[in-house]
Amino acid sequence: MAAHIRRRLRKGATTTAVAAAAVAALAASQAPAATLADAGGGDPKAAGEDTASAEDDGAATGNSPYYTDLPPLVTPDKPGSSSNLPVTGSAEAGIPASILAAYKQAEQTVATTDPACRLPWQLLAAIGKVESGQARGGRVDANGTTTSPILGPALNGQGFALIKDTDGGAYDSDAVHDRAVGPMQFIPSTWASWGQDANGDGRKDPNNIYDAALAAGRYLCANDRDLAIAADLDKAVLSYNRSTEYLRTVRSWFSYYQRGTHEIPDGTGRLPTAPSTPTPSPNPGTPSPTPTPKPSPDKPGGKPTPGPSKPGDGSTSPKPKPPTSKPTPAETFGSLENAGTGPLRATAGQAFDERVTVLARNALGAPLGKVSVTFTVTGDTGTLFAGGRKTVTLRTGADGTVTAPELRAGEKAGEFTVTAVAGTGRPRTLTYAATVTARQADAIARTDEKALVAAPGEKFADAVTVKATYKDAAAAGVAVTATMVKDPLGLFDNDKGPYFKDAAGKPVRTLTTLTTDADGMLRLPEIFADGTEGTFKLRLTTEGGASVVIELTIQAPEETAPEGTTPEETVPKETDTPEA
């Protein structure tokens, strides 16, 4: 490999001055882009990207240099353990603390805003290593800004693309030509579109590792890429620098960092020593030809397609529009199907156990990933998706499926629908019926056992209080129906005996507007007795089928003797009649 690097250096460097300039330029490759098609390599041509080598004058990157140093031969023996970093190792293999923190922060931020991209921080680390040697060995201040600017060579057409100044020298201090800037080597025109403020200082600074790492992460995720898919990983790396050698180098470091690395103090990292070599233009002073743009292989409707991170255009002349390519059947959205969603039913205020899942297929009937599906709740039950939203848009995964967020029932019982819509022009729609049932109780009982007795024409002195429960917990907001019945089993309505009163004061023997309170308690309205004596039944039923039957007795009070007498004295005695 060392001999190979030397051959490349000899081939590209026509003079010692050119080679020295390349080293001093640090290694300005493109802007963001990285990812591995697989652990062992893979053909970049399979990714559908331009695979011009670093020696190809038509390379979209302008052949800006980058570091070609490869990882140590002895890699950490910790497969998949990058979260548990070893604490020792060479400075060359370690990552400075602030630089590592920036990569991990970018991964977490992108995971929140674009989880389908599945950006790994190790990919940012691999690109940062190749582009700037991890910000020149971590030479950054406390805020993560490089202590001195990291600038690539002037993109003046001499071995690179010709890119005239686009920023007035604001970022690269060059008012004639653009240069790649910062630890992730963005050219000013690309930074204008993709720059981020990740450290919250109010500035989008390409010289700040936190800002640059997040910008690189978002750039890699462009065009709805899923970096867990091999082809998308290759496309992302090649969008940063369209060179097979660059792709191989980034892959090597990516694989190395996935197996484990270690944190080192800022400023102690070792700067790589082997820059790639630019190929001089055939006629010095003549701008390199600008390659004809190729149509993006990514599906339409995704995020903006990033242009070459280094070359940009810098020209005011009109640019030809890329030709429109017709998607293949394998890329064309064909149908949307239910992916096993069960009945959607829930009690008011509770979460639905079932979630809506759909499957997208292409025109050939195979599962299709990256299809945007919009889920919408329609109805007046108050049901919403988790987070309080009525509409949410998600993308299908590699298996073609996507699951809507959890549904939470509102307080109003009734039916509603959930629709899933995908596709443009001729969208496909699935509709799911859903039901919210009233809050339920599986048990209801009196809170005391006191006998309930009233005299004819009077009201019952003691109120009836009950408690409803569901799975032994208080059942709040449960509807209860109260009915006066006349048979012992409580099956038939009664037209005599105890009664309630309606708002107008008229007797009623059924109430349907009763609801338990927050503690599951219900105190019934006053109960009155008519003139019919006897024992009657009051039946209470809840949503959910729980019931209880309560006895009510109408009975005239027993007569009592006047004070100072006995019962016998109140009965007239037979008297003797005088004889005639």
Side-chain angles (χ1 to χ4, degrees):
M1 180 56 70
H4 172 70
I5 292 173
R6 287 195 294 272
R7 286 197 297 275
R8 291 191 61 217
L9 286 171
R10 287 198 297 271
K11 179 179 179 182
T14 57
T15 67
T16 304
V18 174
V23 174
L26 208 243
S29 90
Q30 300 295 89
T35 171
L36 309 193
D38 53 55
D43 184 1
K45 294 180 181 179
E49 295 283 346
D50 179 24
T51 56
S53 71
E55 290 78 28
D56 184 356
D57 285 330
T61 63
N63 293 324
S64 291
Y66 54 87
Y67 287 120
T68 59
D69 297 55
L70 295 175
L73 293 177
V74 179
T75 59
D77 190 18
K78 290 177 174 287
S81 66
S82 291
S83 60
N84 299 316
L85 303 179
V87 295
T88 61
S90 69
E92 168 65 12
I95 300 178
S98 293
I99 313 304
L100 179 61
Y103 296 150
K104 291 188 173 183
Q105 177 178 298
E107 177 193 61
Q108 294 170 358
T109 300
V110 173
T112 300
T113 59
D114 188 8
C117 175
R118 294 189 277 186
L119 169 74
W121 68 260
Q122 294 91 340
L123 182 56
L124 297 174
I127 292 176
K129 181 70 172 181
V130 170
E131 294 294 344
S132 68
Q134 309 298 16
R136 287 179 174 164
R139 288 165 175 80
V140 296
D141 63 19
N143 295 319
T145 302
T146 57
T147 54
S148 61
I150 300 176
L151 299 175
L155 298 175
N156 56 11
Q158 304 301 306
F160 313 106
L162 173 61
I163 305 179
K164 295 182 180 180
D165 176 67
T166 61
D167 67 332
Y171 293 121
D172 56 12
S173 301
D174 189 334
V176 179
H177 299 99
D178 270 351
R179 298 169 181 259
V181 180
M184 301 305 281
Q185 289 289 277
F186 282 94
I187 58 169
S189 58
T190 303
W191 184 259
S193 299
W194 293 89
Q196 303 289 316
D197 174 21
N199 64 349
D201 65 356
R203 297 181 59 217
K204 297 178 180 179
D205 185 359
N207 296 296
N208 181 274
I209 185 58
Y210 290 96
D211 294 357
L214 180 57
R218 295 201 189 286
Y219 184 95
L220 292 169
C221 291
N223 298 314
D224 293 335
R225 292 189 186 108
D226 180 349
L227 300 183
I229 297 175
D232 281 6
L233 291 171
D234 281 346
K235 291 174 185 177
V237 174
L238 290 169
S239 74
Y240 221 99
N241 188 320
R242 295 181 186 277
S243 161
T244 55
E245 183 68 21
Y246 180 86
L247 177 60
R248 292 189 188 102
T249 306
V250 170
R251 282 174 176 273
S252 297
W253 282 105
F254 180 85
S255 178
Y256 180 85
Y257 288 139
Q258 280 190 312
R259 290 179 61 82
T261 184
H262 61 282
E263 179 183 299
I264 59 177
D266 288 348
T268 64
R270 187 179 304 162
L271 191 65
T273 57
S276 64
T277 305
T279 301
S281 298
N283 298 311
T286 302
S288 298
T290 301
T292 302
K294 292 188 177 182
S296 170
D298 299 285
K299 75 178 182 60
K303 301 172 192 169
T305 303
S309 47
K310 288 218 176 123
D313 52 33
S315 171
T316 57
S317 59
K319 291 187 292 184
K321 293 183 178 179
T324 302
S325 61
K326 185 176 181 180
T328 66
E331 299 170 325
T332 303
F333 174 51
S335 63
L336 190 67
E337 304 172 7
N338 180 15
T341 305
L344 298 173
R345 292 190 292 263
T347 301
Q350 303 299 311
F352 283 72
D353 292 332
E354 195 73 16
R355 292 168 63 180
V356 176
T357 303
V358 300
L359 167 65
R361 296 186 183 276
N362 63 20
L364 300 176
L368 183 62
K370 298 184 180 179
V371 175
S372 291
V373 181
T374 298
F375 298 92
T376 304
V377 175
T378 304
D380 62 354
T381 63
T383 300
L384 298 170
F385 288 119
R389 296 170 293 175
K390 295 193 75 170
T391 299
V392 63
T393 300
L394 301 169
R395 287 183 295 167
T396 58
D399 63 353
T401 65
V402 63
T403 299
E406 181 184 69
L407 284 165
R408 191 165 189 86
E411 289 299 331
K412 183 177 180 181
E415 297 182 348
F416 67 97
T417 59
V418 178
T419 57
V421 181
T424 56
R426 191 166 66 89
R428 280 67 161 178
T429 302
L430 292 177
T431 301
Y432 298 82
T435 303
V436 177
T437 58
R439 291 177 180 266
Q440 299 181 0
D442 54 18
I444 185 170
R446 284 189 68 190
T447 57
D448 62 61
E449 297 180 358
K450 192 173 182 179
L452 299 170
V453 181
E458 301 295 332
K459 71 178 179 180
F460 287 80
D462 297 307
V464 176
T465 302
V466 294
K467 181 175 182 178
T469 56
Y470 183 70
K471 294 182 179 179
D472 297 326
V478 174
V480 179
T481 298
T483 305
M484 299 296 179
V485 292
K486 60 184 177 182
D487 66 297
L489 297 179
L491 299 178
F492 302 102
D493 294 345
N494 194 1
D495 57 357
K496 293 183 176 58
Y499 61 89
F500 303 105
K501 288 184 178 180
D502 62 15
K506 296 182 179 179
V508 292
R509 289 185 167 83
T510 298
L511 294 178
T512 58
T513 57
L514 305 173
T515 305
T516 60
D517 63 17
D519 298 320
M521 305 292 288
L522 172 64
R523 182 186 176 94
L524 269 60
E526 292 181 323
I527 302 175
F528 300 87
D530 66 5
T532 308
E533 295 190 42
T535 299
F536 301 87
K537 309 291 182 182
L538 168 63
R539 184 184 64 219
L540 302 176
T541 355
T542 72
E543 288 287 345
S547 65
V548 62
V549 177
I550 301 170
E551 282 193 355
L552 300 171
T553 301
I554 300 178
Q555 174 181 303
E558 295 182 359
E559 293 186 8
T560 57
E563 189 177 349
T565 63
T566 64
E568 291 77 8
E569 292 177 329
T570 61
V571 178
K573 293 182 179 181
E574 185 178 350
T575 57
D576 294 333
T577 301
E579 292 182 0

